[in-house]
Amino acid sequence: MVNRLDITSALNFFAKWIVPIMGMVSFSFAAEIEVQLDRDSVPAGNGALLTLKISGSEASEPRLPQVENLIFNSRGQSKQIQMFNGNTSVSITYTYAVGSNIPGEYVIPGIDVTIDGENVTSQPLKLKVTDAGSVQPPTGVPPNAAGQQPQEQEEPESDEKRFGFLTVDLADSERKHAYVGEIAPVRIRAWLPADARAQLRSGIQPEGKGFTLHHVSEQPQQTQEMRDGKRYLVVTWFGGISATKAGKYPASLSVSAKIAVRDTSAPRPQRRQRGGPFDDPFFDNVFDQMDVPMIEKDVTLKSDDQEIEVRPLPTEGRPAGFTGAVGEFKFEGVQIPSSWKTGEPQQIAARLGGSGNFALMNAPQVTPPDAWKIYPGKDEFQAGDQASFSGSKSFQFSAVPRKSGNQEASLSFSYFDPVAEKYRTLTTPSQKIEVTGKDIVDDEPVTAPAVKEPEKKSNMIAAQHLKMTRKSSLIPLISRPLFIPLCVISVALGVLGGILAWLRYRREDPKRRSLAAMEKATREALETVKQCVVNQDVSGFFAAARLAIQHRLSVLWNQPAQAITLAEVNARTPENSPVARFFREADHYEYSRKSQSGVLPEWQTLLDEAMASLSSTAR
């Protein structure tokens, strides 16, 4: 007779080590029942393993059906309770050995269970009981499974994959590539031996520099799957990867863990004789492995170097207002005051929702742009899912109207849709506003005076006079006392005229005026940086600092400041330049979304180096 205490201890052992290695992503489950057989054919006198999983807050004992010549033998039960955001999920798994001493094909009817007051019935199953003299390998069990004679010698596993391995692939199976600046969702899976014990020592870490990893889920999912004829416990995370350069890069990730597996090279214990109608070698092996020693080792599970193609954003059709946002977005709310006064700033609020790289999303633009003067503001992101792929981002910024009277204003936002593979521009409906006050007039360019034509030379001979005075001196002019002072005065007047002409030309030079406007905008942005440092506003610091660098680069590269993105900075500047490093540091802060108590000194130092390098380049 089988010792009940041994069976109970064995089931407790499996429930403790093989069921959740880590917490799964929790949410509220509806009443549900799952039933399955580990194999659909067994010899007479042996049993198949039937598992019945019931999900729900309250469930009754399952009511097993009565089938002629079919025997059910309970192997115990396990219970799992999960809580997430105030919701509780309870699942109970019952295990039975089912078989018969009489060959034939049996139908196991649906098993009735009352879950949360609702009667739920499982799907029926089929079990074939063969003659005991013709034992066949069970369906779904590999040739060398417990209780079967080995058909051929298996190739030994490498030491790395013996303890498990990682796989990484794009979550969207229809897409085989990503775009520069896009946060592409990926599925990261750790494949662990089904009978292993594991303890993670770190989170998922990138191995290479081609990709940046974002928003990895804190609570992974757990399943059991077959791969290459072997059963694995699969732990699944969801996250995102992004790249700043086009090309093909290996998506190499790793995780540190302590894993214990059974030492298959150790001598097998002598099998205990069990007798009875369920003297199945399959169950004998399960209980005999309890005595097999474990090998524990600190390992680093690594993924294969699977390459993911990163494509550059197309230049054709790129809107002037595009600042690097990649995904799918829409306006969820806009607030523009209906009454304004020139010279007095007011706040404009907007909220954009959807999915994509919210970290690189800048505030929408006010149109028409020449009628407004815009000042940097603040933004706030609210995640819509655990991995932060979807959500909404709110913007608040100040604006000053330049002209009075009845005006119309709207907001526009441009982004790249990676699914449709084209740029899109969102524009809100025009809103009528009333602006009072006087128009703000910028410094108008000074019109250069018409150049006078030189006077025509006279045909008279030098020193010839039409009229001669009664008295004239014969002393040469060069010998007269006033000649030298007059020459000096003439030279001085000529130099002064040249200086005045140069100053007039310099004042009217369009390039100089553009440079002066850039320097003014840069100084305003740097003043905002200083204010953010005083207020310990990290988001405002990076936004204003990035804008100051963009203004400086706009003159050097002859393109709008808002259109300069990290991808273009990486393409046109050395990788270790202060400008590229500051842009990457700003993106890293935006991607990580980590709370920071204040502006770090090294950020200010890096900004100073970037501005100094651009100043020297401009000179």
Side-chain angles (χ1 to χ4, degrees):
M1 181 178 294
V2 179
N3 191 323
R4 281 190 174 274
L5 184 58
D6 290 345
I7 297 176
T8 303
S9 300
L11 292 173
N12 289 337
F13 178 87
F14 276 83
K16 181 177 180 181
W17 295 110
I18 298 206
V19 183
I21 291 179
M22 290 157 273
M24 297 173 55
V25 175
S26 304
F27 52 91
S28 180
F29 289 91
E32 190 178 66
I33 181 172
E34 298 179 9
V35 62
Q36 63 178 359
L37 287 169
D38 70 320
R39 42 189 171 170
D40 55 13
S41 176
V42 294
N46 293 272
L49 194 65
L50 184 146
T51 55
L52 179 67
K53 183 179 180 180
I54 303 170
S55 300
S57 58
E58 294 183 3
S60 64
E61 291 281 343
R63 296 182 288 276
L64 298 178
Q66 299 292 329
V67 181
E68 186 177 1
N69 297 326
L70 197 62
I71 304 172
F72 292 87
N73 190 355
S74 175
R75 294 292 187 177
Q77 68 183 55
S78 63
K79 187 174 184 180
Q80 186 176 8
I81 301 175
Q82 297 179 348
M83 297 186 67
F84 182 70
N85 288 343
N87 297 322
T88 303
S89 170
V90 180
S91 62
I92 304 177
T93 302
Y94 295 88
T95 307
Y96 303 92
V98 56
S100 178
N101 293 322
I102 301 176
E105 294 186 358
Y106 296 87
V107 176
I108 304 175
I111 301 175
D112 296 329
V113 180
T114 302
I115 306 175
D116 297 333
E118 178 184 355
N119 189 33
V120 182
T121 303
S122 66
Q123 296 291 331
L125 300 174
K126 291 183 179 181
L127 178 65
K128 183 178 181 180
V129 180
T130 61
D131 188 359
S134 57
V135 179
Q136 300 296 329
T139 302
V141 177
N144 290 345
Q148 303 297 325
Q149 295 296 326
Q151 301 282 331
E152 59 184 22
Q153 185 68 26
E154 290 185 350
E155 295 184 2
E157 286 186 306
S158 64
D159 188 62
E160 293 181 356
K161 293 194 175 183
R162 179 183 181 185
F163 293 89
F165 57 92
L166 291 182
T167 58
V168 183
D169 55 347
L170 292 174
D172 187 355
S173 58
E174 296 182 358
R175 292 185 57 192
K176 304 299 182 184
H177 61 273
Y179 283 93
V180 172
E182 177 189 6
I183 301 180
V186 293
R187 180 173 53 246
I188 308 164
R189 291 184 287 185
W191 299 77
L192 307 174
D195 59 348
R197 301 197 302 262
Q199 180 183 3
L200 295 185
R201 295 297 185 87
S202 71
I204 304 297
Q205 301 292 334
E207 288 288 309
K209 296 182 178 180
F211 289 102
T212 302
L213 188 63
H214 313 279
H215 312 312
V216 178
S217 54
E218 296 181 357
Q219 294 180 316
Q221 298 179 0
Q222 174 186 291
T223 57
Q224 287 215 7
E225 299 183 26
M226 296 291 295
R227 182 185 176 99
D228 298 331
K230 297 180 182 180
R231 185 173 297 276
Y232 289 90
L233 180 64
V234 183
V235 183
T236 304
W237 294 266
F238 291 93
I241 57 175
S242 66
T244 58
K245 292 184 180 180
K248 291 185 177 181
Y249 305 102
S252 301
L253 303 177
S254 65
V255 61
S256 299
K258 175 176 286 188
I259 299 179
V261 298
R262 299 194 179 278
D263 185 6
T264 55
S265 63
R268 296 277 180 154
Q270 184 178 2
R271 192 204 302 176
R272 292 168 287 180
Q273 299 298 324
R274 297 188 183 277
F278 297 99
D279 186 15
D280 191 343
F282 175 78
F283 295 107
D284 286 340
N285 182 268
V286 169
F287 294 112
D288 289 342
Q289 283 194 2
M290 305 292 295
D291 298 326
V292 177
M294 304 289 288
I295 299 177
E296 189 175 69
K297 185 177 180 181
D298 290 327
V299 297
T300 300
L301 304 180
K302 296 184 178 180
S303 62
D304 296 332
D305 290 342
Q306 177 184 355
E307 287 189 339
I308 296 180
E309 180 185 2
V310 180
R311 297 181 179 179
L313 294 176
T315 56
E316 182 179 358
R318 179 182 295 185
F322 176 72
T323 58
V326 181
E328 186 175 356
F329 309 98
K330 63 180 180 180
F331 278 103
E332 294 183 346
V334 174
Q335 292 181 359
I336 302 177
S338 58
S339 60
W340 296 72
K341 185 176 181 180
T342 56
E344 295 184 1
Q346 293 194 72
Q347 278 196 345
I348 295 178
R351 186 174 70 254
L352 285 161
S355 59
N357 58 346
F358 287 91
L360 296 182
M361 179 187 292
N362 291 336
Q365 296 183 349
V366 185
T367 56
D370 56 350
W372 300 86
K373 186 174 183 180
I374 307 301
Y375 297 91
K378 294 184 178 181
D379 59 77
E380 182 179 359
F381 172 69
Q382 184 175 1
D385 55 44
Q386 189 178 17
S388 298
F389 289 123
S390 63
S392 61
K393 194 170 186 179
S394 301
F395 298 91
Q396 286 187 346
F397 55 93
S398 299
V400 175
R402 296 179 181 271
K403 298 181 180 181
S404 61
N406 294 327
Q407 306 286 344
E408 289 189 356
S410 61
L411 298 182
S412 64
F413 177 75
S414 299
Y415 66 94
F416 180 75
D417 187 342
V419 178
E421 298 185 341
K422 64 180 181 180
Y423 294 95
R424 300 184 186 275
T425 300
L426 305 175
T427 304
T428 63
S430 296
Q431 179 178 336
K432 294 183 178 181
I433 59 176
E434 182 181 354
V435 182
T436 59
K438 296 182 179 180
D439 294 353
I440 299 177
V441 180
D442 293 335
D443 295 335
E444 296 182 357
V446 178
T447 304
V451 179
K452 296 181 179 181
E453 295 183 1
E455 296 180 358
K456 295 182 179 180
K457 294 182 178 181
S458 174
N459 295 326
M460 294 188 301
I461 301 174
Q464 181 180 359
H465 299 278
L466 295 177
K467 292 183 179 181
M468 299 294 293
T469 61
R470 293 180 180 180
K471 295 180 180 181
S472 59
S473 175
L474 298 178
I475 300 175
L477 293 176
I478 192 172
S479 300
R480 294 182 181 184
L482 295 178
F483 179 78
I484 293 178
L486 289 176
C487 289
V488 172
I489 294 174
S490 299
V491 172
L493 291 176
V495 173
L496 180 61
I499 293 175
L500 292 176
W502 178 79
L503 291 176
R504 176 182 295 176
Y505 172 79
R506 184 173 180 272
R507 183 179 61 182
E508 297 170 1
D509 184 14
K511 183 176 180 181
R512 188 202 66 81
R513 293 175 63 85
S514 175
L515 183 62
M518 181 275 294
E519 290 295 341
K520 181 179 179 182
T522 303
R523 288 195 300 271
E524 292 178 355
L526 292 177
E527 287 297 327
T528 305
V529 168
K530 294 180 180 178
Q531 190 63 33
C532 291
V533 173
V534 174
N535 298 334
Q536 296 299 309
D537 181 4
V538 180
S539 299
F541 168 80
F542 278 114
R546 189 198 298 267
L547 184 60
I549 297 177
Q550 287 173 328
H551 279 307
R552 190 63 59 81
L553 291 175
S554 65
V555 175
L556 297 176
W557 295 351
N558 193 24
Q559 66 180 96
Q562 296 293 341
I564 298 175
T565 61
L566 175 60
E568 295 192 17
V569 171
N570 286 331
R572 302 180 67 164
T573 62
E575 184 177 359
N576 61 345
S577 68
V579 175
R581 287 189 287 122
F582 185 84
F583 265 71
R584 287 195 295 270
E585 187 68 27
D587 288 347
H588 177 72
Y589 170 78
E590 291 289 346
Y591 283 141
S592 62
R593 309 304 300 178
K594 294 182 179 178
S595 61
Q596 187 70 34
S597 59
V599 179
L600 298 180
E602 52 264 31
W603 295 345
Q604 181 66 52
T605 303
L606 186 57
L607 173 60
D608 295 339
E609 293 177 359
M611 296 302 295
S613 65
L614 293 179
S615 299
S616 61
T617 303
R619 289 195 293 269

